[in-house]
Amino acid sequence: MLLELPDLPYAYDALSPYMSAETLELHHDKHHLAYVTNGNALIEANGVAGNSIEDVMVDSFNEGAGGPLFNNVAQHWNHLKFWDWMRPDGGGSIPSSLEKLIVRDFGSTAEFEAAFINAGVTQFGSGWCWLVVDKSGKLAVCNTPNAVNPIATGAGSPLLGCDVWEHSYYVDYRNRRPEYLEAFIKHLVNWERVADDLSTILK
Ligand code: MN3
């Protein structure tokens, strides 16, 4: 199937001051749109328009990570999820179904937050940090370079991801990536969405 750029699920200024309208306009209208435009040209050139986005992503990763088809299709998938993983007045308390598993697998919500932020801070250069359900059913944190995601690598099912490419935070935080990650966890995450995805994955 071909890629489509959805509207953001909130107004451009709805995540301010933690993520500004200027950042969202650039990030959604320019960066995400470019992945869609370039991705569609590559999907057609490679004759894979009949396949699902996930199949194109995994197949092109296995044929050689870092190729342009993989990069554009995976970044489209990553950003679709990223917009939905945030909401105005996000952060705050975590639904108990999810909190229980966070405490089971990380010790406490504070230890989970520290591990997630550390995964983002220690991703050298561009990439993403993730909370995943791994193959054994445990929650785990990891990071990936550039467009790579846990579906492509087989590390697990992503529950939450944060974009640590500079285009995601440089307007608002300059070089202060840890501050951006802390604001993401404390004020932007749509925990109800994450908990819903968890219950779907564990079914
Ligand atoms: Mn991005």
Side-chain angles (χ1 to χ4, degrees):
M1 76 195 282
L2 289 179
L3 315 180
E4 277 178 55
L5 183 70
D7 289 338
L8 285 178
Y10 29 73
Y12 287 98
D13 61 358
L15 303 184
S16 180
Y18 305 108
M19 189 175 282
S20 66
E22 185 183 355
T23 290
L24 283 171
E25 281 162 9
L26 286 165
H27 200 172
H28 176 271
D29 298 4
K30 306 288 185 201
H31 291 274
H32 191 170
L33 177 63
Y35 299 131
V36 168
T37 307
N38 297 333
N40 283 336
L42 289 157
I43 284 171
E44 292 193 325
N46 284 274
V48 291
N51 300 355
S52 71
I53 295 174
E54 284 80 4
D55 283 350
V56 174
M57 204 160 74
V58 173
D59 292 348
S60 58
F61 181 79
N62 290 334
E63 282 160 17
L69 177 62
F70 172 76
N71 283 342
N72 285 281
V73 173
Q75 279 292 74
H76 170 64
W77 189 94
N78 294 342
H79 286 83
L80 278 183
K81 305 293 284 188
F82 184 55
W83 309 134
D84 276 350
W85 281 322
M86 298 188 286
R87 69 171 175 89
D89 302 314
S93 65
I94 300 175
S96 61
S97 57
L98 172 60
E99 192 182 24
K100 259 187 232 161
L101 297 195
I102 285 177
V103 171
R104 182 193 71 186
D105 295 337
F106 294 97
S108 66
T109 54
E111 281 167 285
F112 154 69
E113 286 178 13
F116 187 86
I117 289 169
N118 185 57
V121 169
T122 57
Q123 172 53 47
F124 185 77
S126 296
W128 295 76
C129 58
W130 305 93
L131 170 65
V132 302
V133 182
D134 73 15
K135 284 177 182 153
S136 67
K138 287 185 74 172
L139 302 189
V141 153
C142 64
N143 55 27
T144 54
N146 302 316
V148 179
N149 62 46
I151 293 186
T153 63
S157 305
L159 282 179
L160 178 68
C162 185
D163 188 340
V164 298
W165 287 57
E166 285 184 347
H167 65 227
S168 195
Y169 63 88
Y170 223 80
V171 167
D172 300 320
Y173 299 90
R174 297 299 170 189
N175 60 324
R176 302 187 303 279
R177 190 189 286 187
E179 222 175 281
Y180 158 66
L181 283 157
E182 184 148 347
F184 176 80
I185 281 285
K186 297 267 186 219
H187 301 288
L188 292 175
V189 176
N190 184 345
W191 286 117
E192 287 70 27
R193 171 59 196 259
V194 177
D196 283 352
D197 286 353
L198 175 68
S199 63
T200 306
I201 291 166
L202 294 182
K203 247 177 214 161

